[in-house]
Amino acid sequence: MPDFPEPVIPAEHGPARIVAICNQKGGVGKTTTTINLGAALAEFGRRILLVDFDPQGALSVGLGKGDPRQLDVTIHNLLLEADTEWDDVVIETSVEGMDLLPSNIDLSGAEVQLVHEVGREYILQQALKSARPHYDYILIDCQPSLGLLTINALAASEGVLIPLECEYFAMRGVALLMETIEKVQGRINPELVIDGVLGTMYDSRTLHTREVLGRIVEAFGEKVFHTVINRTVRFPDATVAGEPITFFDPNSMGANAYRSLAREVLAHWAA
């Protein structure tokens, strides 16, 4: 593991770098990574906006916002209502310096409605435009599919972070994701880069996960983050509590792993 420097707290904030946390396979750690990377970056003095771009609303639930169906205004309104601004939707989280654009099942209807919009791939980019000066990083938690919502997230982003479970079937689906990213780079957003591939749910005790991690490194080389997120029961416990792992169990292996990832991505983005 390289020695990444302790981040310096910035004197001023913005404009934000937008990063899509994306994988069309479910259960690989997208929402967990969005919450905990965001909280770790906020610990290092960055202003963070999390965007729940999944109709299941898991990000909103994981931050202790209760039943997302009870929310009056969500990212759905921001996308489809011209008179709704980002600051009408944004809500504070329990983490100082980290805010949330919440989501609920209404967002599932947005995909159908957006089909008929002019420039439908750029709707999210326009919606986030006025929020960028207020934050250092905007992290988008994508839904587990490669539909129009995910294309919107990739079109709005400068980087994409790919959580990848250290498991054989997770590896098989990556080719389709990479193909989608290449199409977005070629046709919609030539500025988009792959920030890195993050190994998640790693268990060093099993030969299978060690072999899969080795294959990930073979396939992606320097794009693989040095930080690896180990499998631990503390993550689901923190989700039930509605807190990031850095708050729920600040000295745990999981909390320290996401702080290490925050140092690594900050060094990468600075370079």
Side-chain angles (χ1 to χ4, degrees):
M1 171 72 77
D3 187 21
F4 295 105
E6 195 70 16
V8 177
I9 295 176
E12 53 188 37
H13 302 286
R17 177 185 179 85
I18 303 178
V19 180
I21 298 179
C22 182
N23 191 328
Q24 84 275 17
K25 186 178 185 302
V28 298
K30 290 187 296 295
T31 302
T32 299
T33 294
T34 307
I35 292 172
N36 294 300
L37 175 58
L41 289 168
E43 267 190 22
F44 292 134
R46 272 59 182 178
R47 282 197 50 77
I48 307 298
L49 177 63
L50 305 185
V51 180
D52 190 347
F53 217 47
D54 183 350
Q56 296 178 55
L59 186 65
S60 305
V61 172
L63 284 166
K65 298 305 172 187
D67 186 350
R69 292 174 296 181
Q70 305 300 320
L71 295 167
D72 295 324
V73 185
T74 67
I75 189 77
H76 175 265
N77 303 86
L78 183 60
L79 292 178
L80 296 170
E81 296 174 5
D83 58 344
T84 301
E85 296 290 333
W86 71 274
D87 48 1
D88 298 325
V89 181
V90 73
I91 55 179
E92 293 183 353
T93 70
S94 58
V95 180
E96 185 179 353
M98 188 169 83
D99 296 333
L100 169 69
L101 289 177
S103 170
N104 61 19
I105 195 64
D106 293 344
L107 186 61
S108 60
E111 201 147 17
V112 177
Q113 292 169 275
L114 289 175
V115 166
H116 305 290
E117 293 286 334
V118 176
R120 56 185 176 267
E121 295 91 353
Y122 301 100
I123 303 293
L124 179 62
Q125 182 186 75
Q126 290 299 316
L128 296 177
K129 198 172 185 178
S130 55
R132 290 188 66 184
H134 302 272
Y135 297 95
D136 296 306
Y137 299 102
I138 297 175
L139 306 181
I140 305 173
D141 181 27
C142 298
Q143 67 173 348
S145 83
L146 295 177
L148 186 53
L149 292 179
T150 299
I151 299 300
N152 258 265
L154 294 174
S157 299
E158 291 154 89
V160 55
L161 190 157
I162 305 170
L164 190 56
E165 182 185 2
C166 294
E167 199 268 338
Y168 175 67
F169 287 111
M171 276 286 294
R172 293 187 63 188
V174 176
L176 186 58
L177 174 61
M178 300 307 294
E179 185 180 316
T180 302
I181 291 171
E182 287 171 9
K183 286 180 180 177
V184 171
Q185 288 170 325
R187 302 174 187 176
I188 299 173
N189 183 5
E191 306 299 318
L192 181 68
V193 298
I194 297 174
D195 280 339
V197 177
L198 175 67
T200 63
M201 303 184 191
Y202 180 71
D203 186 347
S204 61
R205 298 170 299 177
T206 68
L207 177 62
H208 179 71
T209 57
R210 295 200 302 270
E211 286 181 344
V212 171
L213 184 60
R215 286 193 179 191
I216 293 171
V217 174
E218 282 177 19
F220 296 101
E222 293 183 356
K223 288 291 185 185
V224 181
F225 289 112
H226 293 279
T227 303
V228 176
I229 309 301
N230 287 279
R231 189 184 294 275
T232 168
V233 296
R234 302 307 277 165
F235 287 126
D237 290 346
T239 300
V240 172
E243 294 179 343
I245 191 76
T246 50
F247 271 44
F248 179 75
D249 193 352
N251 298 315
S252 66
M253 183 171 58
N256 289 327
Y258 275 108
R259 290 190 189 101
S260 172
L261 178 64
R263 291 188 191 92
E264 186 170 356
V265 296
L266 286 172
H268 173 74
W269 290 333

